[in-house]
Amino acid sequence: MPPLTRRISPWFLLLLGVTLFGVVLAAAAVPAGSEALAITGVFVIVLAGWVVSLCLHEFGHAITAYKGGDTSVAMKGYLTLDIRRYTDPGLSLVLPLIILLIGGLPLPGGAVWINQWALRSRAWRTGVSLAGPAANLAVGIVLIITVALFPGMPRPVAAGLSALALFQIVAFVLNMLPVPGLDGWGALEPYLSMPAQRFGEKVRPWAPLALLGVLLFVPGVSALFFAGTQILYSLAGGDAQLAGQGFSALFFWRSL
């Protein structure tokens, strides 16, 4: 097995820096008494933080695949957290950000190509699929705990981190749905019959888009989905009021 590189991409560190810059802006808004600065800070926190979580999601897939036998992920640079290593930047990064801003849905972004045949067992294939959503869940819980442990942090910062945490919970639930093309299906696929697997392959390219259409345009479905994720967020200890304030700042343009 080739050695596991420990080099973190400067691009990932830059994304972290941009997220922290958003925190600084949001914190500075309080003494300055500037609503515009607070909105800008929250906007940067959520968008840059979401891209950071995309990297961590894909790293979860890649590091699990590496441990499970697919050493090609190291040579492809997937273990460096470099956003540029993921597939098509438009579909993997730009489109998810646009949908996030328009519909509030944190779609899966960048993708890593895993050599399924190199994995040692069906259990590893399932583990690789689950590792991505698990990373989102872990990030969400860490953010929730951070907000809870520092009740004196500036309110715009807490609102931005809470909104980002809620997006992580939504992404976890969304990715775990047993829909071809999503990680929930990938976790089940190794144990399905061959006809079911072939069906999944056929519908994989458009099934997530169909799900997106249902969530965005079928009356009541979106409300039910978000209500369920908000319950899970609250059960995890998240502050729904802070998250709501973060959402209001993120989608400020809707009230213009």
Side-chain angles (χ1 to χ4, degrees), residues 154-189:
R155 198 163 186 84
V157 175
L161 295 180
S162 296
L164 181 58
L166 178 54
F167 273 136
Q168 301 302 316
I169 302 301
V170 174
F172 169 75
V173 175
L174 186 62
N175 272 283
M176 289 302 296
L177 295 177
V179 175
L182 299 183
D183 293 322
W185 177 269
L188 294 174
E189 191 174 28

Side-chain angles (χ1 to χ4, degrees), residues 154-246:
R155 198 163 186 84
V157 175
L161 295 180
S162 296
L164 181 58
L166 178 54
F167 273 136
Q168 301 302 316
I169 302 301
V170 174
F172 169 75
V173 175
L174 186 62
N175 272 283
M176 289 302 296
L177 295 177
V179 175
L182 299 183
D183 293 322
W185 177 269
L188 294 174
E189 191 174 28
Y191 303 96
L192 299 177
S193 65
M194 287 307 300
Q197 291 187 34
R198 286 194 290 269
F199 170 78
E201 281 296 322
K202 290 180 180 178
V203 302
R204 187 186 305 273
W206 56 266
L209 295 177
L211 174 64
L212 174 64
V214 170
L215 289 174
L216 291 180
F217 303 115
V218 176
V221 174
S222 178
L224 183 62
F225 175 79
F226 278 108
T229 56
Q230 286 172 353
I231 290 173
L232 182 59
Y233 172 75
S234 297
L235 290 175
D239 189 315
Q241 185 178 18
L242 282 174
Q245 292 174 356

Side-chain angles (χ1 to χ4, degrees), residues 61-241:
H61 288 313
I63 189 63
T64 307
Y66 181 88
K67 297 294 185 181
D70 180 13
T71 58
S72 69
V73 296
M75 294 179 284
K76 294 172 183 173
Y78 292 158
L79 302 179
T80 65
L81 292 162
D82 189 341
I83 188 69
R84 301 173 303 165
R85 298 290 183 176
Y86 305 142
T87 53
D88 188 278
L91 294 176
S92 302
L93 179 60
V94 178
L95 182 61
L97 285 177
I98 291 174
I99 293 175
L100 183 70
L101 287 173
I102 294 176
L105 281 172
L107 285 183
V112 293
W113 296 105
I114 306 297
N115 181 3
Q116 301 288 344
W117 299 106
L119 299 176
R120 287 191 287 269
S121 66
R122 291 188 297 178
W124 276 108
R125 290 178 61 189
T126 294
V128 168
S129 293
L130 294 178
N136 289 114
L137 182 61
V139 171
I141 290 175
V142 167
L143 291 171
I144 288 171
I145 291 174
T146 300
V147 172
L149 288 179
F150 298 97
M153 73 169 59
R155 198 163 186 84
V157 175
L161 295 180
S162 296
L164 181 58
L166 178 54
F167 273 136
Q168 301 302 316
I169 302 301
V170 174
F172 169 75
V173 175
L174 186 62
N175 272 283
M176 289 302 296
L177 295 177
V179 175
L182 299 183
D183 293 322
W185 177 269
L188 294 174
E189 191 174 28
Y191 303 96
L192 299 177
S193 65
M194 287 307 300
Q197 291 187 34
R198 286 194 290 269
F199 170 78
E201 281 296 322
K202 290 180 180 178
V203 302
R204 187 186 305 273
W206 56 266
L209 295 177
L211 174 64
L212 174 64
V214 170
L215 289 174
L216 291 180
F217 303 115
V218 176
V221 174
S222 178
L224 183 62
F225 175 79
F226 278 108
T229 56
Q230 286 172 353
I231 290 173
L232 182 59
Y233 172 75
S234 297
L235 290 175
D239 189 315
Q241 185 178 18

